[in-house]
Amino acid sequence: MLEFLTEELREGLRSARRTRQRGSRLHIQLGDTVFPLRRMWGTGLSVDAARLEHLRGLVDIYDGPRHVGHCLIVASTVEGDELICEFKSFQPVYEVPPVDYERADSAVRGYLTAR
């Protein structure tokens, strides 16, 4: 159906689609440059191919200012206007350090001072 539309109208539809997809706060950061993610799934992510043509290695993923995790990208291909990246591993970043013991549910939350 798109083959019957004029080239100007097709370009307008593509730019509207790109504008609509900018609502996500997820982005990757490479040095000082920020690249917004179009989408992310269990084994990969996609970025706008106009901004980035090839991506490989360890990258950091952010949700706004919050660091979400690291992923090791092993393959990237351009499909249409998207750069599809497949990652080997994803390591989430937690706000509290991991513990090597079981925490009791009935732990004391605070102490009252005696007079």
Side-chain angles (χ1 to χ4, degrees), residues 3-105:
E3 59 269 1
F4 298 113
L5 300 176
T6 64
E7 185 58 38
E8 294 85 21
L9 192 55
R10 277 188 257 170
E11 183 56 38
L13 289 172
R14 282 188 212 113
S15 67
R17 185 180 319 135
R18 284 191 296 264
T19 304
R20 179 180 50 117
Q21 291 176 346
R22 289 189 183 144
S24 175
R25 293 176 34 160
L26 287 177
H27 64 275
I28 59 175
Q29 188 167 352
L30 301 172
D32 293 336
T33 311
V34 173
F35 299 100
L37 293 183
R38 286 185 154 190
R39 55 193 173 104
M40 184 173 172
W41 56 96
T43 60
L45 53 91
S46 72
V47 182
D48 190 14
R51 298 196 59 200
L52 194 62
E53 296 177 0
H54 179 72
L55 184 61
R56 192 175 171 110
L58 186 66
V59 297
D60 295 318
I61 299 177
Y62 292 89
D63 182 12
R66 188 173 64 90
H67 193 194
V68 176
H70 311 282
C71 66
L72 180 62
I73 296 177
V74 293
S76 62
T77 59
V78 176
E79 293 181 9
D81 58 347
E82 284 185 323
L83 176 69
I84 306 293
C85 301
E86 299 292 325
F87 51 78
K88 182 177 180 180
S89 65
F90 177 78
Q91 297 295 321
V93 175
Y94 299 105
E95 294 183 13
V96 295
V99 296
D100 58 349
Y101 56 89
E102 182 179 353
R103 292 187 179 179
D105 289 337

